[in-house]
Amino acid sequence: MAKIQPFAALRPKVDVASKVAARPYDVLSSDEAKAEASGNPHSFYHVSKSEIDLPAGTDIHSPEVYAKAAENLKALRENGTLIQENQPCYYIYKLIMHGRSQVGLVCVSSVDDYNNDIIKKHEFTRPEKEQDRINHITATRAQTGNVFLAYNDVPSINSIIDSWQEHHSPVYDFVAEDGITHTIWVMNEPGTVQEITKLFASEVPCTYIADGHHRAASAALVHNSLQSEASAWFLTTIFPASQLAILDYNRVVKDLNGHSKEEFLSALEYDFTIEAVGHSPKKPAMLHEFGMYLDKTWYHLVAREGTYTTDPIGVLDVTILQNNVLDKLLGIKDPRTDKRIDFVGGIRGLEALIKRVDSGEMQVAFALYPVTIQQLFDISDSGNVMPPKSTWFEPKLRDGLLTHVV
């Protein structure tokens, strides 16, 4: 069963929370972070992307960057921008995007659960990305990045969280520059805190990493060296599955691997039915449907029977596309390393695919139907991992609002 605990968060003063809040460190470049933090000394980018305060061209993995992050975090604490809670609490984090809301519980989860597969994974991690987070946590003695977890709904937990929102005022409530609303409540009543902890321990057999595999892995490795009580737990926000939406994660490819357009379309017909649908974007409406944009025309593709299996990995549309198009026809064996392919998150819309192709940068684009949360759970339960770039979650939690000090 899932072990979670309340924690005494390091968090902003109320009047500067919206200025502190920063997008996750790994969704934007150093230049983008520098632009967003310009003129804002409160921005958490000074901690999460501290290279913005160092000379241009500084290696983002150099010791100076991690030292600067620690220096900047210390300064934010000393000048009163960030304060530490005086008791362990749970926090309720509500996000609203395009009228749809999702509500998660911010807590710390057990490193032992991570190591013992009570916290289930669906993605391989890369050592160099783990080391980056290890260095950042070790230098700052803080987990600044949240691990996004999901679990199968438990009505009694949902009821407590709903009731707290109804009867208490939030500590933060603001709309970020991208239009997403961020609202946070502090759950500090001891009896309620204890009840939440007990319910997770008795009613939630496991949780699933939705986003943040590298943050979770690095937290576990840091604990191996620190061996402190605080480092035995890592920062998580846990959402009930019914509230989550996974967006599509689409593909663009530089060339047709030597095929003419006519040869490529003909070869596709072996594994797909194909229909040209004109100039308007074709968004897949169900599993095993694909949109393809080539030479200013959208095509509707449907995978034929026999092109996929029914096992948790084989049934995925990312697998169908990889096996029957990217590998078989376009010669892309490993999409993680091949420079001819790129990935476009669904948050950018299908217009982003059109732009990449019409510019001449890419020759063909593929729009996929999103992976479902149940498919993610099935793969995690089976012990398998998803193909790379399979899921895109939105909206994303903001860094700096709730930090776990280790």
Side-chain angles (χ1 to χ4, degrees):
M1 292 296 184
K3 296 193 293 290
I4 66 169
Q5 280 192 357
F7 70 110
L10 184 65
R11 60 184 184 86
K13 291 189 303 182
V14 173
D15 60 337
V16 295
S18 62
K19 296 179 180 179
V20 170
R23 290 192 286 158
Y25 76 97
D26 55 354
V27 302
L28 75 172
S29 69
S30 300
D31 287 343
E32 289 171 329
K34 188 170 186 175
E36 289 193 18
S38 178
N40 179 9
H42 302 294
S43 173
F44 206 72
Y45 290 127
H46 296 292
V47 177
S48 61
K49 301 283 288 184
S50 55
E51 67 270 15
I52 68 175
D53 296 323
L54 294 171
T58 298
D59 180 354
I60 64 171
H61 300 126
S62 67
E64 292 79 10
V65 170
Y66 304 113
K68 190 64 175 177
E71 176 188 328
N72 288 345
L73 182 60
K74 181 181 179 182
L76 290 174
R77 299 184 71 171
E78 290 180 345
N79 67 25
T81 298
L82 300 178
I83 56 176
Q84 188 156 13
E85 205 79 60
N86 59 13
Q87 69 182 83
C89 304
Y90 286 129
Y91 304 85
I92 299 170
Y93 194 151
K94 180 179 182 179
L95 303 106
I96 302 176
M97 176 181 171
H98 300 156
R100 186 185 67 82
S101 66
Q102 61 186 61
V103 181
L105 181 74
V106 188
C107 59
V108 288
S109 293
S110 167
V111 167
D112 282 346
D113 277 4
Y114 176 85
N115 291 332
N116 295 325
D117 207 34
I118 301 299
I119 298 172
K120 294 184 177 292
K121 305 90 174 166
H122 69 262
E123 186 176 294
F124 286 128
T125 55
R126 292 162 49 190
E128 67 273 16
K129 293 188 71 173
E130 289 179 1
Q131 191 60 53
D132 170 57
R133 289 301 90 191
I134 290 169
N135 292 343
H136 195 273
I137 295 169
T138 302
T140 61
R141 294 305 293 262
Q143 292 164 356
T144 61
N146 218 304
V147 178
F148 178 173
L149 300 181
Y151 70 104
N152 283 306
D153 286 52
V154 176
S156 54
I157 295 175
N158 292 348
S159 178
I160 292 172
I161 291 175
D162 290 345
S163 177
W164 192 273
Q165 294 174 77
E166 182 180 352
H167 295 101
H168 297 81
S169 298
V171 65
Y172 307 133
D173 188 13
F174 63 90
V175 179
E177 67 284 347
D178 56 4
I180 297 173
T181 301
H182 300 262
T183 309
I184 293 178
W185 290 258
V186 179
M187 184 183 283
N188 53 10
E189 196 279 312
T192 305
V193 168
Q194 291 173 12
E195 182 65 15
I196 288 281
T197 306
K198 289 178 181 178
L199 283 169
F200 269 87
S202 62
E203 302 294 331
V204 181
C206 63
T207 57
Y208 300 82
I209 298 179
D211 194 13
H213 283 80
H214 289 93
R215 295 188 285 276
S218 60
L221 291 168
V222 165
H223 179 58
N224 289 344
S225 59
L226 294 183
Q227 288 296 311
S228 67
E229 172 58 25
S231 69
W233 304 84
F234 64 101
L235 181 63
T236 58
T237 301
I238 312 180
F239 290 91
S242 64
Q243 297 190 16
L244 298 181
I246 304 177
L247 300 187
D248 42 312
Y249 214 156
N250 301 312
R251 277 83 169 124
V252 287
V253 180
K254 287 183 179 294
D255 58 68
L256 298 182
N257 196 31
H259 299 292
S260 67
K261 182 180 80 170
E262 292 73 20
E263 289 170 342
F264 182 62
L265 290 172
S266 178
L268 281 172
E269 290 183 342
Y270 183 80
D271 294 312
F272 300 87
T273 63
I274 305 177
E275 177 189 4
V277 293
H279 300 294
S280 299
K282 177 60 181 177
K283 195 173 184 68
M286 59 188 297
L287 289 170
H288 308 337
E289 288 187 0
F290 302 83
M292 183 179 74
Y293 186 66
L294 174 66
D295 193 23
K296 298 188 180 299
T297 300
W298 280 95
Y299 297 84
H300 178 224
L301 278 60
V302 180
R304 298 184 188 276
E305 289 188 14
T307 60
Y308 54 89
T309 61
T310 57
D311 65 89
I313 297 293
V315 75
L316 294 176
D317 285 349
V318 288
T319 304
I320 295 170
L321 185 70
Q322 176 60 38
N323 290 346
N324 298 289
V325 182
L326 300 179
D327 183 353
K328 182 178 179 180
L329 301 181
L330 298 179
I332 297 171
K333 304 295 183 184
D334 186 351
R336 291 173 298 182
T337 59
D338 197 307
K339 302 301 184 185
R340 296 167 53 229
I341 188 170
D342 200 5
F343 306 89
V344 181
I347 190 66
R348 300 184 183 276
L350 298 188
E351 292 75 14
L353 303 183
I354 296 173
K355 183 177 180 180
R356 298 285 293 274
V357 173
D358 285 354
S359 70
E361 176 196 4
M362 298 291 178
Q363 191 166 357
V364 63
F366 301 94
L368 285 76
Y369 189 77
V371 170
T372 68
I373 194 69
Q374 189 57 55
Q375 285 179 316
L376 185 152
F377 284 3
D378 289 345
I379 289 168
S380 300
D381 286 338
S382 72
N384 287 303
V385 296
M386 284 189 172
K389 309 295 186 182
S390 295
T391 58
W392 183 283
F393 283 92
E394 288 285 350
K396 296 188 183 298
L397 305 162
R398 292 289 165 127
D399 286 351
L401 295 176
L402 298 164
T403 295
H404 175 46
V405 178
V406 297

